[in-house]
Amino acid sequence: MGVDKTTAGGGGESGGRTVCVTGAGGFIASWLVKLLLEKGYIVRGTVRNPAFYEKMIEPAVSGSRNVINAAADVGGVRRVVMTSSIGAVYMDSRRGAGEEVDETCWSDLDHCRDTGNWYCYAKTVAEQAAWELAMERRLDLVVVNPSLVLGPLLQPAVNASAWHVIKYLDGSARTYANAAQAYAHVRDVADAHARAYEAPAAHGRYLCAGHTLHRGEVCRILAGLFPGYPVPTRCKGDAGETAEGCRFSSRKLSELGVAVTPASQCLYDTVVSLQDKGLVPFVPAAGMP
C-alpha cells in the first residue's frame, strides 16, 4: 500500500513528491520502490513482520485500517494505492470453471472459510475494510489485485512465488498438482501501482493477471526453456489435467496502459534470477521465450 504526501522541492517526473511504501522489503514492494526512485520520487519505506493463515486475518485488516487512517489524518494525501490480491476476487463456488472474472467480482467469505483458504479470506476482508474506511474518511483509494507474481528477485529472502518455481527445478517435486493459476510479472505489477497513483482518472480495482495455465503447462514451459532441470512430467495422482481455473480480464489494466507479460517470460526471468542468486544450480537455457 502506498501513501503519497505532496512536498516542496525535488524534481523529475514525480514533481518532488514523497511516497510511503509499506512492506517495502517485500517482492512486489521492492520493485515498486525501484520504479518510483527511477521516476524521481522520494521514497519512505516501512517493513512488517509476516503472519500466516488464521493469524494473518487480524493483522491484514488492522494494517489496512491503520494506513488508511494515517493517510487521512496526516492531511495533503493525494491518493492511496493498495496491494490486494486476486485471492480477493475469484474464490466463489458459484463461479464456473473457465468463467471470466473482472474487477466487479469478490471472493465469497463463506466459501473461503469452508475450504480453509485463509489467505483468500484475509485478503478479501482486508480489502473490504479498506474500501469501507476510505469511503468513511473520504480518501481516494485505488486497489491493484495481482495474481501469483513471478520475475527477478531484488530482496534477499526467497518468497513464496519463488518457491513455486524452485520446487520444479531442484527435484523436490516429482509431480505437479492438478491445478490452474494465472501469473503476473513483478515489473507489470509495480508499473500498475505507479500508474494507478499517477493517472488522474484511475479508480476502483485493477486486476493484474495473465492467462491462466495448468501446472502441467507451466512445467512444460520450464522444461522447454531449461531442459537440464528435472522438471516433473506427471500430474499428481495421475488424475489428468482437468482443472481449468478462471479467466481474468485485463481490459481495465490495459486502459491504464499496463501490458501483461507472457507467462513464459515470467518463468524465464524468475529462473535466471534464481540462478544468479545461487538458489538453483546453473543450467543453460535452450533459448529465450
Side-chain angles (χ1 to χ4, degrees), residues 207-272:
L207 304 191
C208 191
H211 293 298
T212 299
L213 300 178
H214 193 278
R215 295 285 175 82
E217 182 61 23
V218 170
C219 287
R220 287 187 284 275
I221 291 172
L222 286 170
L225 292 172
F226 299 92
Y229 286 116
V231 180
T233 59
R234 185 168 58 88
C235 190
K236 185 176 181 180
D238 295 319
E241 299 178 9
T242 58
E244 292 185 48
C246 301
R247 292 183 298 110
F248 297 105
S249 171
S250 61
R251 287 187 294 272
K252 192 177 177 188
L253 186 71
S254 64
E255 292 171 2
L256 198 61
V258 180
V260 177
T261 301
S264 57
Q265 188 69 54
C266 296
L267 291 164
Y268 179 86
D269 290 350
T270 302
V271 176
V272 170

Side-chain angles (χ1 to χ4, degrees), residues 63-252:
S64 297
R65 293 182 62 86
N66 288 344
V67 175
I68 295 292
N69 279 323
D73 291 342
V74 75
V77 172
R78 180 173 177 269
R79 174 174 286 168
V80 173
V81 180
M82 175 181 177
T83 309
S84 183
S85 169
I86 214 75
V89 176
Y90 77 94
M91 279 291 292
D92 191 333
S93 60
R94 297 164 294 186
R95 194 168 293 122
E99 185 175 335
E100 185 177 80
V101 172
D102 62 18
E103 286 78 4
T104 65
C105 300
W106 285 89
S107 291
D108 179 67
L109 292 177
D110 289 335
H111 182 55
C112 293
R113 187 188 301 108
D114 293 343
T115 56
N117 195 325
W118 299 112
Y119 174 83
C120 290
Y121 188 98
K123 289 295 183 180
T124 303
V125 295
E127 186 185 339
Q128 289 175 344
W131 281 114
E132 291 170 4
L133 187 58
M135 183 176 296
E136 178 185 323
R137 299 300 305 270
R138 298 183 180 180
L139 194 67
D140 184 11
L141 176 66
V142 180
V143 173
V144 178
N145 299 78
S147 57
L148 183 71
V149 184
L150 298 176
L153 282 72
L154 293 181
Q155 84 283 5
V158 179
N159 59 317
S161 59
W163 283 117
H164 178 76
V165 176
I166 289 174
K167 68 183 180 184
Y168 294 136
L169 307 177
D170 64 4
S172 60
R174 302 297 180 89
T175 60
Y176 51 81
N178 181 25
Q181 198 159 24
Y183 299 86
H185 200 291
V186 66
R187 290 193 184 94
D188 298 341
V189 179
D191 188 29
H193 282 74
R195 290 175 184 261
Y197 165 69
E198 292 175 338
H203 65 283
R205 310 165 90 198
Y206 288 88
L207 304 191
C208 191
H211 293 298
T212 299
L213 300 178
H214 193 278
R215 295 285 175 82
E217 182 61 23
V218 170
C219 287
R220 287 187 284 275
I221 291 172
L222 286 170
L225 292 172
F226 299 92
Y229 286 116
V231 180
T233 59
R234 185 168 58 88
C235 190
K236 185 176 181 180
D238 295 319
E241 299 178 9
T242 58
E244 292 185 48
C246 301
R247 292 183 298 110
F248 297 105
S249 171
S250 61
R251 287 187 294 272
K252 192 177 177 188

